[in-house]
Amino acid sequence: MTNTATDTDRTMMQRALKLATDAGASGEVPVGAVVYETASGIVLGEGVNRREIDRDPAAHAEFIAIQQACRSIGDWRLNHCSLAVTLEPCPMCAGLIVNARIGRVVYGCDDPKAGACRSLFGLTTDPRLNHRVELIPGVLAEPAAELLRAFFKDRRQRSADRPRPPTDHPPE
């Protein structure tokens, strides 16, 4: 199921990109997510990657935004909601999306190494599962991908510039 993004979807993706930029500035992988009511555009939850800050492997942007949205409405069922996220969700987040019954996922760039919506797996649209999600990929994909490219380029550069610790053996 792939459909076209609405103006609200693009607005929410812009918001997710701003969140991703903030995450990158704090040293986290720059991913941002927003859960909103599909019909009204009311934001119910937002999240950024916080794995390093929280020292928590589950602290993905989508996970945090979905938890906030559930608390916001007092229910775990988000059928009437959309999730805008800058990067294709991983298997953990795709599983949560299905379990939370999110109606639509709007995402920026594909993740060829861990994407579980269509790149590596199709968890959100798998007919064997009890819920399927309307998938809208590629919304503002280039700015989302550029944030990630710049972040990892900077990280590689910092790693290359870091002095190496001394070794116990002489150089070869």
Side-chain angles (χ1 to χ4, degrees):
M1 283 188 263
T2 302
N3 290 329
T4 307
T6 66
D7 289 340
T8 301
D9 296 332
R10 284 185 283 281
T11 298
M12 294 301 164
M13 185 60 73
Q14 287 285 358
R15 191 170 181 152
L17 284 165
K18 168 69 171 93
L19 291 166
T21 301
D22 294 346
S26 71
E28 294 284 349
V29 174
V31 177
V34 180
V35 175
Y36 54 100
E37 290 182 344
T38 304
S40 68
I42 294 171
V43 174
L44 302 174
E46 295 181 331
V48 297
N49 273 359
R50 294 185 50 91
R51 293 190 317 167
E52 299 299 328
I53 293 167
D54 293 351
R55 292 176 171 66
D56 180 355
H60 288 206
E62 304 95 304
F63 214 94
I64 293 165
I66 290 168
Q67 287 178 321
Q68 275 186 16
C70 290
R71 282 193 296 272
S72 174
I73 65 167
D75 195 358
W76 60 269
R77 294 169 194 87
L78 300 174
N79 304 67
H80 65 293
C81 295
S82 295
L83 167 70
V85 60
T86 56
L87 179 66
E88 179 182 5
C90 72
M92 176 184 71
C93 293
L96 180 61
I97 288 163
V98 170
N99 281 297
R101 310 282 197 274
I102 290 180
R104 301 165 69 245
V105 171
V106 179
Y107 74 84
C109 58
D110 289 332
D111 185 349
K113 294 185 178 185
C117 292
R118 73 175 190 173
S119 293
L120 292 179
F121 307 105
L123 291 179
T124 56
T125 56
D126 191 320
R128 297 170 295 178
L129 298 176
N130 63 339
H131 178 73
R132 278 158 299 292
V133 178
E134 181 182 337
L135 193 60
I136 305 167
V139 177
L140 300 175
E142 190 48 42
E146 183 51 38
L147 270 176
L148 290 161
R149 278 192 294 269
F151 176 82
F152 286 111
K153 180 180 178 183
D154 181 62
R155 183 178 269 185
R156 284 189 301 275
Q157 185 61 48
R158 287 177 192 232
S159 178
D161 292 345
R162 200 173 310 135
R164 303 260 190 263
T167 61
D168 293 346
H169 53 49
E172 295 176 7

